[in-house]
Amino acid sequence: MHTPLTEPPAEAGAESLEHRRAAITRLGHELRALVDATVRTAASPDTLDRVADGVRQVTGQLTGRRRARTEIPEVDRFPGGPRMYSPVVGAGSPLAPPVRITPTDDGVIGHCTLGIAHEGPPGYGHGGMSAMLLDELMGHACTVAGTPGMTVSLQLRYHRPIPLETPLRLLGRVTGTDNRKVHVTGTITTQEDPATHLVTADGVFIAPDPERVRALFPGLQPET
């Protein structure tokens, strides 16, 4: 019988947050390995039942207060900072590839590798994953350009299927603004062949007014 772990006393300060982020990152890595093994395995039903029991016991160890739907995790910096549980960039998410995004001279570049858990057609990424990757990357491009916004339109063109277990290269760039609207383009290629577009996108993002921001994100602390 497993005894649930108890939460340690809350610590304050940047050092404790970094310690927590490191632990979240480690757990996220192991969860992604578990997900990958789960979607690949040809284990017997008995083995699967035994593993399910073990996973249930592990889940029971994650005790303590659970954050509310609108609550921003203390390990996140929103907007514009790390999002530890994002299904795209979150190091702590079992769903994320995760994408590593860095600014460039005219936008942002992202790198990731999709696994079997992201499969659509056998051997290739699900088309919805492409949309999610580009939506995230293009949003980052808006933020880097100093015009953060939310997606109002995203049009994708699928040129070729995205191979799984292949390093990918994603680009996002702001091409223009119109009052609160921000126009952005995005592409997905492989790292090996960046000249061949697999998916391209055109998007429109809009910067919500402060009142709308407060309504959408009640957990966001006001600037001081």
Side-chain angles (χ1 to χ4, degrees), residues 65 67-79 82-83 85 217-221:
R65 188 182 70 84
R67 65 183 173 96
R69 180 182 65 85
T70 59
E71 183 180 351
I72 298 171
E74 64 174 1
V75 292
D76 282 6
R77 286 202 302 270
F78 177 81
R83 302 293 309 283
Y85 301 110
F217 311 112
L220 188 62
Q221 295 296 319

Side-chain angles (χ1 to χ4, degrees), residues 45-75:
D46 287 344
T47 297
L48 296 179
D49 282 336
R50 190 163 58 250
V51 170
D53 289 339
V55 171
R56 185 184 305 112
Q57 291 178 337
V58 170
T59 301
Q61 297 183 55
L62 296 175
T63 61
R65 188 182 70 84
R66 294 175 181 253
R67 65 183 173 96
R69 180 182 65 85
T70 59
E71 183 180 351
I72 298 171
E74 64 174 1
V75 292

Side-chain angles (χ1 to χ4, degrees), residues 76-144:
D76 282 6
R77 286 202 302 270
F78 177 81
R83 302 293 309 283
M84 294 302 296
Y85 301 110
S86 160
V88 183
V89 299
S93 171
L95 308 176
V99 181
R100 304 174 306 281
I101 300 178
T102 54
T104 65
D105 290 340
D106 63 347
V108 292
I109 185 169
H111 296 93
C112 72
T113 300
L114 297 183
I116 301 298
H118 306 119
E119 187 175 59
Y124 297 97
H126 193 288
M129 285 299 303
S130 301
M132 187 163 68
L133 294 176
L134 286 173
D135 183 39
E136 181 79 17
L137 194 86
M138 292 160 72
H140 275 263
C142 292
T143 300
V144 167

